[in-house]
Amino acid sequence: MSTELMLRLEIDALNADYAAALDERRFDDWPEFFVDDAKYTVQARENYDRKLPLALIALESKGMMKDRVYGITQTIYHGPYYTRHVVGPARITAGEGERIRAEANYAVFRTRPGDASEVYNVGRYVDEIVRTGGGLKFAHRLCVYDSEMVLNSLIYPV
Amino acid sequence: MSTELMLRLEIDALNADYAAALDERRFDDWPEFFVDDAKYTVQARENYDRKLPLALIALESKGMMKDRVYGITQTIYHGPYYTRHVVGPARITAGEGERIRAEANYAVFRTRPGDASEVYNVGRYVDEIVRTGGGLKFAHRLCVYDSEMVLNSLIYPV
Amino acid sequence: MSTELMLRLEIDALNADYAAALDERRFDDWPEFFVDDAKYTVQARENYDRKLPLALIALESKGMMKDRVYGITQTIYHGPYYTRHVVGPARITAGEGERIRAEANYAVFRTRPGDASEVYNVGRYVDEIVRTGGGLKFAHRLCVYDSEMVLNSLIYPV
């Protein structure tokens, strides 16, 4: 089996684990998918395509991610909702040495209490992944979303 | 290749075959994805998370599944609709001996005659899978759905 | 690892690359996923199931695909939109000699400028794939869509 297909499969597994942590609301597990100095960015496609810097969320370390989790679970006043991530198969776009670049399309569905599920945020993950002693981790997860109108606020990570 | 990644791939194939049987309306094939004394449960996440027993559908043997298929195809009066399942990559959550526990996120889209497609039911499969002479089969497929409001009735299996 | 699982993984990779080309609007790359005399068909499930010939799009060579790309990018007057494909795991339905038959469920989400994302077209790919010197290519990609009402026009390939 080719090394690239094998790696794809490992990244699919990483994406599935990541989605499960968020969808099961195990928010404390979320920063653990990243290395310490990792970045997490959620950016509109419009800005990404034009190489403009503005992003909806831009976290620059695991510490900032933990702070975000604290905000989500303890301080941000928001209407609760469930998320459900359905992620397509990953693509390896580059892999030089230790750092793998990969992408995958995602759809996040939102369900508010008492309501039907709806399309919430769709886009692609543009990832930099490194292999560590604890398995594959994100050095940068950039979520480039198509959705030009974000329904209410985006509270939980994508 | 690690045994776990290999098993994941087998479960992805099982999930794809299962989805295809339902979406192509080959309902008679549906019970054959299960062992004889298997369970099939469709439960709201709200109840699942609180460990409450109430479920929308709770079938406790392959016989009950066949009965359900008879109902769907012969007796239940309902507005017809197409389903389309898009299933994310599977995760192995435990595998002791013969019995594998796995999960996968799903989105089911519904299309009613003359209408646009819409999000119908999203959630995750929580599965117990056994290896048989006829390949992997479900000992229990539990569909935990986020969607708090079910659009009309849920007639076909998820 | 079984040859069939290996092949499934290769087709998942092909589907991911195909989706990425369309979603990133690299339309000129799109015909290159096909062999020269390939067909590309987009057909309503209603007609497909009844074996009726009418299709929304029926292109019978790579030349026609290039013409379509020219139309999309240069001549067809249309409201722009983003697409996002989320594709489920592929199934091998037959593989005699050189020609592989495979299927996969897809959901395409559309985002119009300034708007939320919505379900646009869901269905399944029914593919004939051949192995060439340049990797797997489509001899025929048939997109059978459930969506009975197509939102506005379908401009970009599915």
Side-chain angles (χ1 to χ4, degrees):
Chain A
M1 179 178 197
S2 86
T3 313
E4 180 166 337
L5 285 178
M6 168 76 183
L7 182 58
R8 259 183 34 81
L9 202 50
E10 277 187 275
I11 294 172
D12 284 345
L14 175 68
N15 284 337
D17 289 345
Y18 177 97
L22 290 178
D23 294 344
E24 294 170 22
R25 306 176 69 84
R26 291 186 275 107
F27 295 118
D28 287 335
D29 292 351
W30 173 66
E32 302 312 318
F33 288 94
F34 295 85
V35 295
D36 284 349
D37 60 345
K39 292 182 184 173
Y40 174 76
T41 314
V42 180
Q43 188 176 35
R45 174 172 177 162
E46 198 179 2
N47 287 352
Y48 178 79
D49 287 348
R50 287 169 181 72
K51 302 191 196 309
L52 294 172
L54 191 70
L56 194 59
I57 299 176
L59 307 179
E60 304 203 340
S61 70
K62 195 191 265 193
M64 284 180 76
M65 293 177 212
K66 288 180 178 171
D67 190 64
R68 177 78 187 174
V69 169
Y70 184 78
I72 292 166
T73 55
Q74 308 293 331
T75 67
I76 303 174
Y77 186 77
H78 65 276
Y81 59 91
Y82 293 141
T83 62
R84 184 64 49 194
H85 291 66
V86 181
V87 182
R91 307 168 61 220
I92 315 291
T93 52
E96 310 115 17
E98 298 287 292
R99 190 157 292 223
I100 304 144
R101 288 172 191 271
E103 299 188 4
N105 281 357
Y106 68 80
V108 182
F109 301 91
R110 174 180 78 165
T111 308
R112 286 183 297 183
D115 217 340
S117 300
E118 57 195 334
V119 178
Y120 184 53
N121 193 278
V122 306
R124 73 178 143 135
Y125 293 125
V126 179
D127 296 320
E128 291 178 29
I129 298 170
V130 289
R131 192 176 293 282
T132 73
L136 296 180
K137 304 247 183 204
F138 296 110
H140 187 191
R141 163 147 279 192
L142 165 59
C143 313
V144 180
Y145 61 93
D146 295 346
S147 316
E148 298 226 334
M149 182 187 287
V150 174
L151 301 173
N152 306 100
S153 302
L154 198 150
I155 303 293
Y156 310 122
V158 169
Chain B
M1 181 178 193
S2 87
T3 313
E4 180 166 337
L5 285 179
M6 169 76 184
L7 182 58
R8 259 182 35 82
L9 202 50
E10 277 188 275
I11 295 171
D12 284 345
L14 176 68
N15 284 337
D17 289 345
Y18 177 98
L22 291 178
D23 294 343
E24 294 170 22
R25 305 176 69 85
R26 291 185 276 107
F27 294 117
D28 287 333
D29 292 350
W30 173 66
E32 302 312 317
F33 286 94
F34 295 85
V35 296
D36 285 349
D37 61 345
K39 291 181 185 172
Y40 175 76
T41 314
V42 180
Q43 188 176 36
R45 174 171 178 162
E46 198 178 2
N47 287 352
Y48 177 80
D49 286 348
R50 288 169 180 72
K51 303 192 195 308
L52 294 172
L54 191 70
L56 195 60
I57 299 177
L59 307 179
E60 305 203 340
S61 70
K62 196 190 263 193
M64 284 180 74
M65 293 177 212
K66 288 180 178 170
D67 191 63
R68 177 78 188 177
V69 169
Y70 184 78
I72 292 166
T73 54
Q74 307 293 331
T75 68
I76 303 174
Y77 185 77
H78 65 276
Y81 59 91
Y82 294 142
T83 62
R84 184 64 47 195
H85 291 66
V86 180
V87 182
R91 305 169 61 221
I92 314 291
T93 52
E96 309 114 19
E98 299 288 291
R99 190 159 292 223
I100 303 143
R101 288 171 191 273
E103 299 188 1
N105 281 357
Y106 68 80
V108 183
F109 301 91
R110 174 179 80 165
T111 308
R112 287 183 297 184
D115 217 340
S117 301
E118 58 195 332
V119 178
Y120 183 52
N121 193 277
V122 305
R124 72 179 145 137
Y125 293 125
V126 179
D127 295 320
E128 291 177 30
I129 298 169
V130 290
R131 192 175 292 283
T132 74
L136 296 180
K137 303 246 184 206
F138 296 109
H140 188 190
R141 165 148 275 194
L142 166 59
C143 312
V144 180
Y145 62 92
D146 294 345
S147 317
E148 298 226 333
M149 181 186 287
V150 174
L151 300 173
N152 307 100
S153 303
L154 197 148
I155 303 292
Y156 310 123
V158 170
Chain C
M1 178 175 198
S2 87
T3 314
E4 181 167 336
L5 286 179
M6 169 75 183
L7 182 58
R8 257 182 36 77
L9 203 51
E10 277 187 277
I11 295 171
D12 284 345
L14 176 67
N15 285 337
D17 289 344
Y18 178 99
L22 290 178
D23 294 344
E24 293 170 24
R25 306 176 69 86
R26 291 187 274 108
F27 295 119
D28 287 334
D29 292 350
W30 174 66
E32 303 311 318
F33 287 93
F34 295 85
V35 296
D36 284 349
D37 60 346
K39 291 181 186 174
Y40 175 74
T41 314
V42 180
Q43 188 176 35
R45 175 172 177 163
E46 199 178 2
N47 288 351
Y48 177 80
D49 286 348
R50 286 168 181 74
K51 302 191 195 307
L52 294 172
L54 191 70
L56 195 60
I57 299 176
L59 307 179
E60 305 202 341
S61 69
K62 195 190 264 194
M64 285 180 75
M65 292 177 213
K66 288 180 179 171
D67 191 63
R68 177 77 187 174
V69 170
Y70 184 78
I72 293 166
T73 54
Q74 306 294 332
T75 68
I76 303 174
Y77 186 76
H78 65 276
Y81 59 92
Y82 293 141
T83 62
R84 185 63 49 194
H85 291 66
V86 180
V87 182
R91 307 169 59 220
I92 314 292
T93 53
E96 309 117 16
E98 298 288 291
R99 190 159 293 224
I100 303 144
R101 287 173 192 273
E103 299 187 4
N105 281 356
Y106 69 80
V108 182
F109 301 90
R110 173 180 79 166
T111 307
R112 287 183 296 182
D115 216 340
S117 302
E118 58 195 335
V119 178
Y120 183 53
N121 193 277
V122 305
R124 72 179 143 134
Y125 293 125
V126 179
D127 295 319
E128 291 178 29
I129 297 169
V130 291
R131 192 176 293 281
T132 73
L136 297 180
K137 303 245 185 206
F138 296 110
H140 188 189
R141 165 148 275 193
L142 165 58
C143 312
V144 180
Y145 61 93
D146 295 345
S147 317
E148 298 225 334
M149 182 188 287
V150 174
L151 300 173
N152 306 100
S153 303
L154 198 149
I155 304 292
Y156 310 121
V158 169

